[in-house]
Amino acid sequence: MKKIALVEDNPDNRMLISILLEDEYEMVEFEDGPSAVEGMADEKPDLVLLDISLPGMDGPDVLKHLRSDPRTMGLPMIALTAHAMVGDRAHYLSLGFDGYVSKPIVDEQILLDEIEGLLEMREAC
């Protein structure tokens, strides 16, 4: 079973996303940026769902740290964000995220398709 790391400070969002994914994926959760940076290499996930607005260290900073660590640099990372204005997707992808899903998640298939597409690409490499 593939492992997904969820980095999300809102407990309700963590619970919702975990419920959506737990039948298909092993889930590991982090509630802030520093704990994610510290624990990610030990957890060895196959993909990271990363909230943009986090306490202590925001999503783009977590992304930079994980991309600079040889143990985590190749992980597919999806930006999870309430920032859903025109141009936001392109902005976050330009920062180095591999995918983008806006919150609230009203269509779970969008999240599942984004995850499955990135995991398939990773396996193909």
Side-chain angles (χ1 to χ4, degrees):
M1 182 178 279
K2 299 285 185 190
K3 183 188 290 189
I4 294 180
L6 172 59
V7 186
E8 168 66 64
D9 63 316
N10 182 302
D12 293 333
N13 288 341
R14 277 197 316 274
M15 183 174 61
L16 171 68
I17 293 168
S18 289
I19 289 170
L20 290 174
L21 301 177
E22 67 188 2
D23 288 341
E24 297 292 323
Y25 303 100
E26 179 183 346
M27 299 297 296
V28 60
E29 299 177 5
F30 300 95
E31 59 186 56
D32 60 38
S35 66
V37 168
E38 187 173 315
M40 200 70 65
D42 293 333
E43 289 296 337
K44 297 180 177 75
D46 296 290
L47 182 137
V48 179
L49 298 173
L50 181 54
D51 185 20
I52 294 299
S53 300
L54 293 166
M57 180 186 301
D58 68 11
D61 286 338
V62 172
L63 175 78
K64 288 177 194 172
H65 282 279
L66 295 176
R67 291 285 190 234
S68 69
D69 185 332
R71 300 170 296 174
T72 56
M73 65 181 9
L75 286 175
M77 296 190 210
I78 297 174
L80 288 178
T81 181
H83 300 273
M85 302 298 289
V86 173
D88 282 341
R89 179 182 181 84
H91 170 71
Y92 291 112
L93 294 176
S94 75
L95 293 178
F97 284 95
D98 302 292
Y100 169 93
V101 175
S102 63
K103 297 186 295 186
I105 297 170
V106 292
D107 182 352
E108 65 187 68
Q109 195 60 48
I110 292 171
L111 176 62
L112 293 170
D113 289 348
E114 194 82 11
I115 290 169
E116 291 167 10
L118 287 172
L119 289 175
E120 287 173 11
M121 283 181 16
R122 186 172 191 214
E123 287 179 6
C125 293

